[in-house]
Amino acid sequence: MYPSFTGSSRKPRVVNLSGRKPAAAPSRTSQFSRAPATQTSVLHAQQERAQREAARQRLRAATTVQRVWRGRREAEAQRVKWRKEWDSVFAKGTGGDLGQGRYSKERIEYGVTLFLAFYERGHRPGRRRKRDSGDLLRMKTLVLFMAQYLSQASDKSCLEVSERRVDGRGNLMMEKFGKLLIEVLHEEVLTVDSLGVLPSLAVELPGIVDASYYKALSRITTSSKSSPGEILDAVLAPLQHIGKENGQRSAEIHRDFAANYLVTPDLPEHLQRSGFERLKKAVGFGKLIKAMSESPGKWVIATGEERLWMLSYIIHFTPSVFDTELIDLTGDKPFVNRGFEERGYIYVMSLLLSSVAKEASKRLEVEDISMGVEGDEEDEDESSGGRSRQIRSQPLPPFVKSEFESLIQQPSISSIFSRASFSGRDDRYAKMLAGFALTLLLVFPKVKQEVCMWLCLAETKDGVSVLRYLWATIKKSELFLGVIRDIRLAVGSLRKRNLSADDTSVRDSDNDEWNLILLFIELYGFLLLVMDDDEFFAGNRIEKNARQLPLKDVENLSVFLKNLAFAMYYWGGEMMGEDKQRSDGGAVFFEDQPNQGWDVEYLKTAVTGLLKAIYARDSRRKFLPSNHWLMTAAGFNIEGFIPAVVQEEENRNRIESEGEDGEEPERQYDQAAIAALSQFEQRNLRLQLMNKIQRKKQRALYLATITPRLEILQNLPFFIPFATRVQIFREFVSGDQRRRRGGFVDPDQWRNAVLSRSSQLPFPSQGALGDARDNLNRHHATIRRNRVFEDAYEQFWPLGEGLKEPIQITFIDRFGVEEAGIDGGGVTKEFLTGVCGDAFTPESTINLFLESEQHLLYPNPTSIEELKEELIRTRGPYQEVIGDEIKPLLKRYEFLGRVLGKCLYEGILVDVAFAPFFLLKWSQQASDSKASTAVGVNDLRDLDGGLYRGLVKLKNYAGDVESDFGLNFTISSRLTRHDKTITVELKPGGETIPVTNANKLEYIHLVSRYRLSVQAHIQTSAFLKGLNSIINPNWLSMFNQSELQTLVGGDINTPIDVEDLRRNTIYGGVYQLGDDGIEHESIRLFWEVMHSLGDEERRKVLKFVTSVARAPLLGFGVLRPRFSIRDAGEDQGRLCSASTCVNLLKLPRYKDPKILREKLLYSVNSNAGFDLS
């Protein structure tokens, strides 16, 4: 609308005769908001004023540019003038006569001042200068003048520079020239000429000595263009002459020397051996250590490689800094106090060692820089079937390696705590010593056991064992007491440490306490391996040199470890820095961890191992309260634990299957193929393999943190009640059966489903149906009674993992007649128990297992050696033939593992008792090897009681072990079938190493390890390979040794619960219950008789009906088929009979309880086998 006074709303015509484009018609809104004319005028005035100001600024800028240009032009002209003046005075004097005395000195100062005038003013500070060749020649002339002056002066190390004057010349100009000279030296220009005057300049001008001074000397040293003597003069002059009266300045120079020169690679080679020894003698080691300990932040910024060299030089300098007073970590001589602080030395060494621990431990054992693909750290088990691989890092330089190894000597390790005092204990000093000892363990993992042994044997200066000294400090620490009170305290402290950028920063109190705790855990865990139970339970002795803790202290320690371990498993993601509020919060698991001496995973494995060792002691002989091990921490709900952990298992299986689908297949490499690659290709291949290993570790860490309940079950199963874990185990098995059988768990339904799936194909063929029948036929076997194991091996070995599916058995009796009956589960149970009976009987011809004095079974450790000896005697020593013949033996071990796994999978109990040390290997397969409870001397009682008693006697022997026993580090085994003895070295060169009082603990440990783990390793690995093909090793890790035995053979200590059996029994025929629920009279008499029987007789009845004498672990409610009773007529003289295939008791309708009891026991004790009726 366009309103007007006329009332017309039509838009008026616009007539434009100017030829210009008319302005756009304003909107209705803009018409009403148009600014007044006065505002428009003001706006125009402001714009004009701004334009005039911009013009004035451009004019001023042009004037400035012109002035600067003219100034630069005049300055350059002046510099040219000064250069000509300098050249006229000095150019011809090069190499000539400088004159004598003060004249020559003033001439040098004049030349330096004039040189700086035309050199420096043309450059801006901080900018990289473009060197002028003419100016470099002039600088060289000045340096030569200085050198000539020094050669003529009485004090050849002093330039006698004048004091700084008001005009700014003298000392100030010389300092500037000195810094300029160092800058040129850093770029390796004028090196030879400048080194001669640099020591004098450094002494006269201390201001030039800083980080850049030693950086330049480091670069010159490695360039090998100068003589070692001149380099050392420049290096040592500031250390020996500067700061004698100013301690702070001296400390600064020593720190600069450490951080910038002691990081130079291979000083012994560059300075030559004599020069390096001169450096060692001339360095003020006490001042150096004091300076480094006071300000560690100034030198820890060096790279990892530089810190390796720094540490090796400090180790080399340590023993002989002073002529008569030694600072010794590699001998028995005491530390000195004059000019040296022992605590500062320990602090610096600990800080350096912890900062390079990971890198040094990886590179210490590498022999060459070639890339190998042998021995993967992730898979060292030969029985795993895959070729293991390892990426070799670049080895440590020979000098660094030799210096590091000099730390690991028994006198050195034993003396670490020898100056500590228990009575006047200083907690801060104890933490410092613990940090140093711990870093030695981290750097040298290969000799960890030896170091732990030496520390366990060490004592403080007042005769207290190191373990008790450390424990006295730990039990009063804030961290220890706090974690016992509040479990979440550990989460916050470890999260803070894990997220810190670098462990080389100045440490807080928490980190020192963690180092103290971790060292104690390592030492006490080792001690429990070699300590027998008698010594363990004698810990309440008051002797100050006793190593075992009082039992009350062990209880407090276990509470701390229990809370700490639970926190690390249950809140592991939070400790790692996971942020569940963010979608990418889990990315922290796939990032590189900070370079620290140890990480949370290392602590977790150590804590878990010690906790398991204490639990094992308590399991053998109770000393802790009942329910002590059950977890009742805040935030942990045991009520919903079973469904939650089953869901975590499903999630883990899904994630692992997805990961396997996305991964590339494993590639095999050999040394010949690698050698044919170029250096660049080898490097890329090395990086690829390293990245793959790192991804596997990160993925495992991620899975562990998203399945905390599974991790607790796997590593700390004793936190959860045994009955709950058995239920979880059966849930895992049921879930696996549903996945494998397509939801049909019942055997008959599964068989029908296999046939129906083949017949319901879109185009069913006779071949498909035949394949289905062939599949079912492979799960059916005809077994001869007198060859149960061999027939089972021949027919079921090809199934492999398929043995998990239902099988059917037809027995052939000793007359060759097929036995009647339908396998409803009972025949399969009889078959499996029969196979186990044949194979696990020590007197059998199979000879796979032996029996201990306690009638406990374990793999025959000499079975392979016996077979080898037999083959050598019959066929000759041909390795190819021997290897081929051993494989069938290992296959039988593997098959036997599958059969036992099948029993566990189906819930079938077998009457077999295994040795605890053998069962321990079952439960430790899925656990980290570092966190596993290693077998120790106490486990030898279950294998060889005589050997155990002999080792205990040796350990407690107070006399001279070497002369009285005459032992060395070897062990012998007897091949009884061939009347031959074989001897094995327990360690390299063991035949020449005598057993002494100092190393007898190591001998005991190695003997125990050989007998329990090494000797039967191949047989055990084969058995476990078969067991794992049926039962997931993660499931077995939920149980300890005694619990696994209960899982295999049932609970022999719990009496048969007659009422539980009665509640879960079904009746047939006339015995079937009516609507009133009243039992038949004969049934009532049967239960009365069962109540009157002893537990042994009840077990015989149970075995008569079900073929197993033990009740199911979860009660008779889970027995399949159900326990059943059916009538068998009214004949009072008829015996009871049973159909074990369906767990059915055929009971005549007896009317007298005495007759019922007599007939029942006669039938049970007849030993007629399990003939079907």
Side-chain angles (χ1 to χ4, degrees):
M1 299 291 291
Y2 294 89
S4 63
F5 290 105
T6 61
S8 174
S9 59
R10 183 178 179 184
K11 180 179 179 181
R13 291 182 62 189
V14 178
V15 180
N16 184 8
L17 302 179
S18 63
R20 297 180 180 178
K21 184 177 181 180
S27 65
R28 182 178 180 184
T29 304
S30 63
Q31 291 179 4
F32 290 99
S33 60
R34 186 177 299 167
T38 55
Q39 295 181 3
T40 304
S41 300
V42 171
L43 182 61
H44 289 170
Q46 291 175 347
Q47 293 175 350
E48 291 175 356
R49 188 179 302 111
Q51 293 173 357
R52 291 193 297 273
E53 180 62 24
R56 286 193 292 271
Q57 289 179 357
R58 286 194 296 272
L59 182 60
R60 287 196 295 269
T63 303
T64 301
V65 170
Q66 292 176 3
R67 184 174 64 250
V68 170
W69 182 83
R70 287 193 296 269
R72 291 295 179 88
R73 185 183 60 180
E74 294 297 328
E76 184 61 32
Q78 183 62 43
R79 283 194 293 273
V80 171
K81 180 179 178 182
W82 284 336
R83 281 190 177 92
K84 291 181 179 180
E85 181 181 350
W86 193 95
D87 290 342
S88 64
V89 175
F90 291 95
K92 297 180 181 179
T94 303
D97 186 11
L98 284 170
Q100 298 294 329
R102 185 171 182 81
Y103 172 75
S104 59
K105 181 183 63 175
E106 291 178 349
R107 187 178 183 187
I108 291 175
E109 291 183 2
Y110 172 73
V112 167
T113 303
L114 189 59
F115 176 82
L116 291 176
F118 63 74
Y119 183 85
E120 281 201 330
R121 295 186 184 182
H123 305 282
R124 294 288 184 92
R127 291 186 180 180
R128 184 170 178 83
R129 296 164 175 165
K130 184 178 180 181
R131 304 296 181 191
D132 180 81
S133 58
D135 286 345
L136 290 178
L137 289 175
R138 295 180 181 93
M139 181 180 290
K140 180 177 180 180
T141 301
L142 280 175
V143 170
L144 291 175
F145 272 122
M146 292 179 184
Q148 293 177 28
Y149 171 77
L150 288 174
S151 64
Q152 299 172 7
S154 58
D155 185 355
K156 301 191 181 298
S157 62
C158 181
L159 277 173
E160 298 181 358
V161 178
S162 303
E163 296 293 332
R164 184 181 302 181
R165 299 193 295 269
V166 178
D167 61 1
R169 296 183 180 182
N171 191 291
L172 179 60
M173 293 294 105
M174 292 298 293
E175 279 190 11
K176 288 185 176 182
F177 181 78
K179 291 182 178 180
L180 176 61
L181 186 60
I182 293 171
E183 184 179 336
V184 174
L185 282 172
H186 193 70
E187 299 177 7
E188 301 182 21
V189 181
L190 306 181
T191 302
V192 178
D193 303 313
S194 304
L195 277 178
V197 302
L198 198 58
S200 179
L201 287 175
V203 173
E204 292 294 324
L205 308 170
I208 70 172
V209 181
D210 53 12
S212 60
Y213 178 87
Y214 282 108
K215 284 181 181 178
L217 290 177
S218 175
R219 184 180 291 269
I220 293 172
T221 303
T222 56
S223 67
S224 301
K225 294 180 180 179
S226 302
S227 68
E230 292 180 339
I231 296 175
L232 283 172
D233 290 340
V235 170
L236 295 174
L239 299 175
Q240 295 175 334
H241 300 287
I242 299 177
K244 293 182 178 181
E245 299 179 357
N246 186 347
Q248 182 177 358
R249 179 57 183 149
S250 176
E252 291 176 355
I253 292 175
H254 280 81
R255 280 194 293 271
D256 290 333
F257 166 72
N260 300 282
Y261 193 76
L262 281 187
V263 298
T264 308
D266 236 340
L267 281 179
E269 179 181 348
H270 295 304
L271 298 179
Q272 300 177 1
R273 178 57 61 178
S274 58
F276 186 65
E277 291 302 317
R278 175 190 168 192
L279 177 66
K280 172 183 174 180
K281 294 178 181 179
V283 169
F285 191 71
K287 294 180 180 180
L288 177 65
I289 293 298
K290 183 179 180 182
M292 294 177 69
S293 63
E294 289 175 349
S295 301
K298 298 293 182 64
W299 51 268
V300 295
I301 58 175
T303 64
E305 186 73 17
E306 291 174 341
R307 285 197 292 262
L308 284 173
W309 285 105
M310 184 190 301
L311 178 57
S312 64
Y313 296 145
I314 291 178
I315 295 172
H316 184 78
F317 290 171
T318 300
S320 55
V321 176
F322 301 103
D323 294 334
T324 58
E325 298 177 352
L326 301 184
I327 305 167
D328 191 8
L329 275 184
T330 58
D332 298 325
K333 296 183 179 181
F335 288 104
V336 298
N337 293 321
R338 192 187 67 173
F340 175 78
E341 292 185 1
E342 176 187 346
R343 298 190 181 193
Y345 179 82
I346 295 293
Y347 176 69
V348 170
M349 289 290 290
S350 178
L351 202 58
L352 277 172
L353 273 172
S354 63
S355 68
V356 300
K358 285 187 177 180
E359 182 177 0
S361 61
K362 291 178 181 178
R363 298 171 57 185
L364 201 59
E365 299 301 322
V366 180
E367 298 299 334
D368 52 58
I369 61 173
S370 63
M371 181 185 67
V373 284
E374 302 177 9
D376 188 359
E377 296 175 357
E378 296 296 308
D379 185 9
E380 297 179 356
D381 191 352
E382 294 178 0
S383 64
S384 61
R387 185 182 180 186
S388 57
R389 286 188 281 271
Q390 176 189 16
I391 306 304
R392 291 184 177 178
S393 305
Q394 184 178 0
L396 287 177
F399 177 81
V400 176
K401 183 176 181 180
S402 64
E403 294 301 323
F404 274 38
E405 290 176 344
S406 69
L407 290 176
I408 303 301
Q409 305 293 333
Q410 183 171 0
S412 169
I413 301 300
S414 301
S415 67
I416 292 177
F417 291 89
S418 61
R419 262 73 76 184
S421 172
F422 181 81
S423 56
R425 187 174 62 257
D426 183 349
D427 291 350
R428 185 178 178 184
Y429 185 46
K431 295 173 185 177
M432 187 182 301
L433 293 175
F436 177 69
L438 177 64
T439 50
L440 289 178
L441 289 178
L442 298 174
V443 173
F444 302 97
K446 298 295 183 182
V447 292
K448 178 180 176 180
Q449 291 183 347
E450 289 85 347
V451 175
C452 286
M453 180 185 66
W454 296 334
L455 288 173
C456 286
L457 294 174
E459 297 177 353
T460 61
K461 68 179 181 182
D462 43 6
V464 178
S465 68
V466 169
L467 272 167
R468 288 208 172 189
Y469 172 75
L470 295 175
W471 172 247
T473 307
I474 289 173
K475 66 182 182 180
K476 295 181 180 179
S477 65
E478 295 181 3
L479 195 59
F480 179 83
L481 298 174
V483 172
I484 290 180
R485 290 192 306 266
D486 181 12
I487 192 171
R488 292 285 302 179
L489 181 65
V491 180
S493 178
L494 289 174
R495 175 184 171 89
K496 175 184 175 183
R497 185 187 187 279
N498 192 66
L499 297 180
S500 62
D502 201 332
D503 189 42
T504 57
S505 59
V506 181
R507 304 173 178 183
D508 56 15
S509 59
D510 269 12
N511 198 43
D512 291 336
E513 290 185 4
W514 281 122
N515 289 339
L516 182 70
I517 290 169
L518 182 53
L519 176 65
F520 176 82
I521 289 172
E522 294 279 17
L523 298 185
Y524 193 57
F526 172 80
L527 185 65
L528 292 184
L529 287 179
V530 297
M531 179 184 293
D532 60 273
D533 286 344
D534 294 336
E535 184 180 356
F536 178 84
F537 288 101
N540 291 318
R541 294 179 304 181
I542 60 175
E543 290 90 342
K544 63 180 181 180
N545 61 347
R547 294 172 180 84
Q548 169 54 15
L549 304 182
L551 296 183
K552 186 61 179 178
D553 286 351
V554 176
E555 180 179 350
N556 294 334
L557 173 63
S558 66
V559 173
F560 168 78
L561 294 175
K562 189 175 70 170
N563 288 350
L564 178 58
F566 181 85
M568 288 191 288
Y569 283 107
Y570 201 70
W571 292 294
E574 186 175 342
M575 285 185 183
M576 293 295 297
E578 178 187 20
D579 187 357
K580 295 185 178 180
Q581 304 300 324
R582 296 172 51 188
S583 59
D584 60 343
V588 67
F589 305 112
F590 300 95
E591 297 174 355
D592 293 334
Q593 297 302 310
N595 180 25
Q596 300 176 333
W598 54 268
D599 53 23
V600 176
E601 283 298 303
Y602 185 91
L603 175 65
K604 183 165 67 175
T605 55
V607 170
T608 304
L610 180 56
L611 204 56
K612 286 182 176 180
I614 298 175
Y615 174 73
R617 297 277 179 168
D618 186 53
S619 300
R620 285 198 298 266
R621 180 175 166 184
K622 293 292 294 183
F623 68 94
L624 294 173
S626 59
N627 297 330
H628 172 82
W629 295 103
L630 298 183
M631 198 63 207
T632 57
F636 183 67
N637 180 19
I638 194 65
E639 298 296 331
F641 189 80
I642 295 179
V645 79
V646 171
Q647 184 61 47
E648 286 184 0
E649 173 73 3
E650 293 177 357
N651 293 341
R652 171 180 280 186
N653 290 334
R654 187 189 72 254
I655 293 174
E656 287 180 343
S657 61
E658 292 174 354
E660 292 174 358
D661 294 339
E663 289 183 358
E664 296 181 359
E666 292 282 347
R667 296 180 59 188
Q668 301 294 328
Y669 302 95
D670 54 47
Q671 295 294 339
I674 292 174
L677 299 176
S678 66
Q679 185 176 3
F680 179 75
E681 290 172 331
Q682 288 185 16
R683 177 178 178 274
N684 286 342
L685 181 59
R686 184 187 300 114
L687 292 176
Q688 290 174 9
L689 296 177
M690 291 177 65
N691 291 336
K692 188 169 185 178
I693 293 175
Q694 182 66 15
R695 286 196 301 270
K696 287 175 63 177
K697 291 181 178 179
Q698 292 170 342
R699 188 176 188 82
L701 178 61
Y702 173 68
L703 287 175
T705 51
I706 65 173
T707 55
R709 296 171 183 83
L710 275 178
E711 288 295 305
I712 291 174
L713 274 177
Q714 178 178 322
N715 296 281
L716 304 168
F718 41 84
F719 283 8
I720 311 299
F722 175 63
T724 303
R725 282 178 276 139
V726 174
Q727 294 180 47
I728 293 171
F729 176 79
R730 296 316 312 172
E731 288 289 340
F732 286 169
V733 171
S734 298
D736 188 62
Q737 289 175 336
R738 287 191 296 270
R739 284 192 297 270
R740 292 183 61 87
R741 303 177 186 178
F744 300 100
V745 177
D746 182 77
D748 291 332
Q749 293 180 354
W750 174 74
R751 295 185 185 99
N752 293 333
V754 171
L755 293 174
S756 63
R757 278 197 294 267
S758 61
S759 62
Q760 293 175 2
L761 293 173
F763 302 99
S765 63
Q766 194 67 26
L769 187 59
D771 291 342
R773 288 174 178 168
D774 288 342
N775 185 28
L776 295 180
N777 289 335
R778 286 197 299 271
H779 290 78
H780 179 272
T782 301
I783 305 296
R784 290 169 289 182
R785 286 283 185 181
N786 58 348
R787 286 178 53 88
V788 176
F789 180 81
E790 291 301 328
D791 286 351
Y793 172 74
E794 291 173 3
Q795 298 185 55
F796 283 143
W797 167 258
L799 285 181
E801 188 180 352
L803 193 61
K804 287 184 177 183
E805 293 5 305
I807 60 175
Q808 284 185 315
I809 303 298
T810 299
F811 277 116
I812 305 296
D813 63 19
R814 60 180 178 173
F815 303 107
V817 179
E818 183 177 307
E819 296 182 2
I822 300 174
D823 188 357
V827 178
T828 298
K829 287 193 295 183
E830 185 182 354
F831 160 72
L832 293 174
T833 54
V835 172
C836 293
D838 278 3
F840 291 120
T841 302
E843 295 80 12
S844 67
T845 57
I846 304 175
N847 198 32
L848 296 180
F849 277 74
L850 296 181
E851 195 175 54
S852 68
E853 297 174 357
Q854 295 82 20
H855 305 290
L856 303 174
L857 295 170
Y858 60 92
N860 183 358
T862 61
S863 60
I864 294 180
E865 296 299 329
E866 295 273 8
L867 180 58
K868 285 182 178 179
E869 186 66 23
E870 183 177 344
L871 292 172
I872 290 174
R873 293 187 179 188
T874 57
R875 304 186 185 181
Y878 300 107
Q879 295 297 329
E880 302 82 9
V881 176
I882 293 176
D884 293 339
E885 293 293 336
I886 289 176
K887 290 179 181 178
L889 176 65
L890 297 181
K891 286 183 178 180
R892 280 168 168 75
Y893 275 106
E894 183 178 345
F895 178 72
L896 192 53
R898 292 182 195 170
V899 171
L900 197 64
K902 176 69 172 178
C903 294
L904 290 172
Y905 196 77
E906 301 294 344
I908 298 173
L909 303 179
V910 291
D911 191 10
V912 177
F914 294 106
F917 71 87
F918 177 55
L919 290 168
L920 184 63
K921 301 180 187 303
W922 299 18
S923 61
Q924 290 184 352
Q925 299 175 88
S927 301
D928 189 329
S929 59
K930 298 176 184 177
S932 301
T933 305
V935 290
V937 65
N938 290 284
D939 298 288
L940 271 177
R941 283 185 295 191
D942 302 320
L943 175 65
D944 189 339
L947 178 61
Y948 167 76
R949 290 186 291 272
L951 291 178
V952 171
K953 179 181 178 181
L954 175 66
K955 184 173 74 70
N956 299 326
Y957 189 70
D960 187 355
V961 171
E962 182 176 1
S963 60
D964 295 345
F965 285 84
L967 298 172
N968 56 23
F969 278 79
T970 62
I971 191 168
S972 299
S973 301
R974 184 75 176 170
L975 304 181
T976 56
R977 291 170 54 187
H978 301 284
D979 192 23
K980 181 180 179 181
T981 300
I982 56 175
T983 302
V984 177
E985 291 186 339
L986 295 173
K987 59 189 299 187
E991 190 173 359
T992 60
I993 302 176
V995 178
T996 64
N997 293 72
N999 62 17
K1000 63 181 180 181
L1001 286 182
E1002 182 185 6
Y1003 174 78
I1004 293 171
H1005 172 69
L1006 291 177
V1007 169
S1008 304
R1009 178 174 174 270
Y1010 178 79
R1011 287 297 191 199
L1012 296 170
S1013 298
V1014 177
Q1015 190 175 18
H1017 171 71
I1018 298 177
Q1019 297 91 320
T1020 303
S1021 298
F1023 178 88
L1024 293 179
K1025 183 179 180 181
L1027 180 63
N1028 295 342
S1029 66
I1030 307 298
I1031 301 294
N1032 189 327
N1034 289 324
W1035 303 347
L1036 295 176
S1037 65
M1038 298 189 298
F1039 307 98
N1040 64 13
Q1041 304 99 298
S1042 60
E1043 292 168 346
L1044 280 172
Q1045 181 59 58
T1046 303
L1047 202 65
V1048 170
D1051 190 354
I1052 61 175
N1053 299 318
T1054 303
I1056 298 296
D1057 188 347
V1058 176
E1059 286 302 316
D1060 181 41
L1061 178 61
R1062 188 175 188 175
R1063 285 191 300 269
N1064 294 284
T1065 299
I1066 58 177
Y1067 306 98
V1070 298
Y1071 292 155
Q1072 190 170 0
L1073 298 179
D1075 294 337
D1076 56 2
I1078 298 176
E1079 295 175 339
H1080 191 275
E1081 182 64 20
S1082 297
I1083 295 298
R1084 186 182 62 80
L1085 292 177
F1086 172 78
W1087 294 119
E1088 287 181 4
V1089 171
M1090 286 293 292
H1091 276 291
S1092 66
L1093 296 176
D1095 187 64
E1096 187 65 27
E1097 292 172 326
R1098 293 175 186 174
R1099 293 183 183 277
K1100 290 181 179 179
V1101 173
L1102 186 62
K1103 185 172 184 178
F1104 176 71
V1105 179
T1106 66
S1107 77
V1108 179
R1110 299 180 180 93
L1113 296 178
L1114 298 179
F1116 289 100
V1118 299
L1119 181 64
R1120 295 294 182 273
R1122 300 281 290 275
F1123 191 91
S1124 307
I1125 303 177
R1126 196 185 72 187
D1127 72 288
E1130 295 185 357
D1131 186 358
Q1132 300 297 302
R1134 185 175 181 180
L1135 294 173
C1136 301
S1137 59
S1139 295
T1140 56
C1141 59
V1142 290
N1143 295 336
L1144 173 64
L1145 173 64
K1146 299 173 183 178
L1147 181 70
R1149 294 194 291 273
Y1150 299 115
K1151 298 179 180 179
D1152 188 345
K1154 293 182 179 179
I1155 296 177
L1156 192 153
R1157 180 187 178 96
E1158 178 186 350
K1159 298 297 184 182
L1160 179 63
L1161 292 180
Y1162 185 86
S1163 301
V1164 168
N1165 294 319
S1166 64
N1167 296 323
F1170 305 105
D1171 296 333
L1172 301 175
S1173 60

